[in-house]
Structure formats: structure tokens, C-alpha cells
Amino acid sequence: GTRRRLVIVGGALGMAGAPMLAARAAMRSGIGMVRVLVAPPNLAAVQQRVPYALAGTWPELDEDVRASVLEWADAVVIGPGLGRSAESRALVERILRAWRGPVLLDADALNVFAGAASELGALLAGRSALITPHVAEFGRLAGMSIAEVESRRFEIGAALARTVNAAVLLKGVPTVISGVDGERLVSATGNPVLAAAGSGDLLSGIAGTLLAQLDDAVAAGACAAWAHGRAAELATQGRATIRGITLKRVERALSDVWPGAAITPEYPVLAELPAVRDRA
């Protein structure tokens, strides 16, 4: 548990791949343990395809949240492949009411609150929280058109961050991270390889890992955006075109993104990650 524990909630019927991508990215980003909670029909697929992750089904009752999340997690990612339904919204609310620790919401965990940003803000208040929408998800949540979001990319996240009580990572070119206190960071790494379905799931796994280890939503979002983009750049090095480059190559490149600082661990630890030492 020294490298922290991350719970990923998603994977509605037909969308098991999204939380699995997030789990793989988390492992390549240095998380210690991952637990993936999916719809019951997808449980076997997760256990077969992500053998290093613990797997379970969506918590249906408050006591289920306690057993699978509260008593285990350091951070929670909700949304990859979650689906847009009343059941999905109820699940998000159930977890957020019970879990008061660091949380990242992406994809359908945001879509189920379309036009209801203040309601989401009430649930996220009082914790380290990060949301990671692309422009369409941002527009649905804030009640704006895609064109309006794009035209105000650099400043538009600040108001939403205050409304939802969470740092906002607006994906795109460039990626802009806005904090609740007005802090703003920009990441320009990346290339068009990331404009593919599943790319955001990788980002969720990276950012969820950093949120668990740092407990700082803005820093986690900014570092994750940089690492995500840098992995895409490494995945395409030496190629004349991005055509044919898949997210699997981006996922593999994540292992080469993290800087290797030489540290001397304290007895009785044999080795430790720089980020964990810094946090301690």
C-alpha cells in the first residue's frame, strides 16, 4: 500500500474496455494496487484481461461501498464506460455520499449530471476532486455549446471549477487545468494519436494514480496531462505518420515517461518511487 490504492468504477454492459484501459495506465504510472468495479456481466472479462487488478461489481448498497471503497481506497476514479442511465447516476451519488476522499470523475460520471453542475458541486465539496471532460462533456455539464467552450478554452474552466468544487482538466489542444482558487496550468504535450476513443480512459488511470499519491487535484491533473501527451509523443517517434498507431503503444510508452531520480531509501525499505518519497 505504500504506492497507494486506486478504485476504478465503470464498465457498463458492452463497455468493459474503458475501466481496463484506466487500470493498465494506473499500473504503468506507479500505483501500488488497483480495484476495478464493473457491471456484473463484465466481471469475468476484467479478471481475465487485467489479472493484476482486484475485481468486483458495482456497490448496490451503502454497506457495499464501505467494503469495496471506504475501507480500502486512497483515491477513486468514477466514469470510464459507466453508461448514461438513472442507475449510473444513482451509483455515482451513492459513492460520493459515502466516500469523502480524493476522487476523479470522467466521461459518463459527468454526463449523468448534464445541466446540473451545481448538484455535482454539492456532492464534491470538501475533498480533493478532479474532473476531466473533453469539450463536449464540458459543454453538457455547463450548459454551453462546443463552439463556446473552444473559443474560451484558456479561461472557461475557472468558473466551472468553482461551481463543481473541483479542479477541471479540459482535454484538447492544449489541455488546460483550472483550480478552484483560480490557478491555471497548460500542457501542450501530445499529438493526434490521443484523438481516439479510449485515450481519456488512459488519462483517468494516470491522473487517478497521481491523485492517490499526491492528494493535490491541480498537480495531479497537470502532471497526468503532461505524461499522457508525452507517452503519445514517444509512441510515434520515428514514424512519418500517426496512422496505424494504437493506444496500446501509448500505454506501453507510459513506462518510459517518468523521470528516474536516484534516491537512497531509508531502512528497511529496499526501493521506492520518487513521488512516494516526496509525498512522505
Side-chain angles (χ1 to χ4, degrees):
T2 302
R3 285 160 56 184
R4 310 304 176 223
R5 298 170 175 171
L6 180 67
V7 169
I8 299 170
V9 184
L13 184 62
M15 294 187 282
M20 289 194 282
L21 284 170
R24 290 172 185 153
M27 292 302 296
R28 289 187 181 270
S29 300
I31 198 67
M33 298 178 72
V34 178
R35 172 173 284 163
V36 182
L37 303 180
V38 295
N42 289 332
L43 181 58
V46 172
Q47 292 178 313
Q48 291 168 5
R49 300 290 295 176
V50 195
Y52 42 75
L54 301 176
T57 57
W58 290 344
E60 296 182 358
L61 304 171
D62 290 346
E63 50 263 40
D64 297 332
V65 178
R66 177 171 298 280
S68 61
V69 180
L70 270 65
E71 298 175 351
W72 193 85
D74 291 299
V76 178
V77 170
I78 311 175
L82 188 66
R84 303 183 204 179
S85 66
E87 181 186 12
S88 300
R89 166 116 179 208
L91 176 61
V92 176
E93 292 183 353
R94 184 180 307 120
I95 295 172
L96 292 181
R97 283 196 304 266
W99 169 254
R100 303 303 304 167
V103 66
L104 182 154
L105 300 186
D106 183 38
D108 288 332
L110 301 175
N111 288 326
V112 295
F113 288 93
S118 59
E119 295 177 29
L120 178 58
L123 290 166
L124 290 179
R127 82 191 62 217
S128 181
L130 173 67
I131 67 171
T132 58
H134 56 53
V135 289
E137 291 161 350
F138 188 109
R140 294 183 196 113
L141 184 60
M144 298 177 177
S145 68
I146 291 176
E148 184 177 3
V149 176
E150 286 284 27
S151 68
R152 299 172 54 204
R153 167 172 291 274
F154 287 95
E155 69 273 10
I156 202 167
L160 184 61
R162 289 190 295 269
T163 300
V164 299
N165 292 305
V168 176
L169 187 160
L170 177 57
K171 293 180 281 199
V173 184
T175 294
V176 181
I177 303 92
S178 304
V180 176
D181 61 357
E183 183 178 9
R184 182 177 61 189
L185 298 170
V186 178
S187 176
T189 60
N191 55 41
V193 167
L194 299 179
S199 174
D201 302 316
L202 293 178
L203 178 63
S204 291
I206 303 167
T209 294
L210 295 174
L211 188 61
Q213 294 176 343
L214 303 175
D215 195 18
D216 183 325
V218 172
C223 292
W226 182 90
H228 187 232
R230 181 58 181 151
E233 293 170 352
L234 292 175
T236 57
Q237 279 186 344
R239 303 274 301 202
T241 175
I242 65 164
R243 190 178 296 276
I245 301 294
T246 67
L247 291 178
K248 180 174 284 294
R249 289 188 62 160
V250 177
E251 176 197 324
R252 290 174 177 167
L254 270 173
S255 299
D256 299 321
V257 163
W258 310 103
I263 61 174
T264 303
E266 299 176 5
Y267 179 84
V269 177
L270 299 180
E272 57 187 341
L273 296 178
V276 174
R277 184 182 179 91
D278 293 346
R279 185 179 187 273

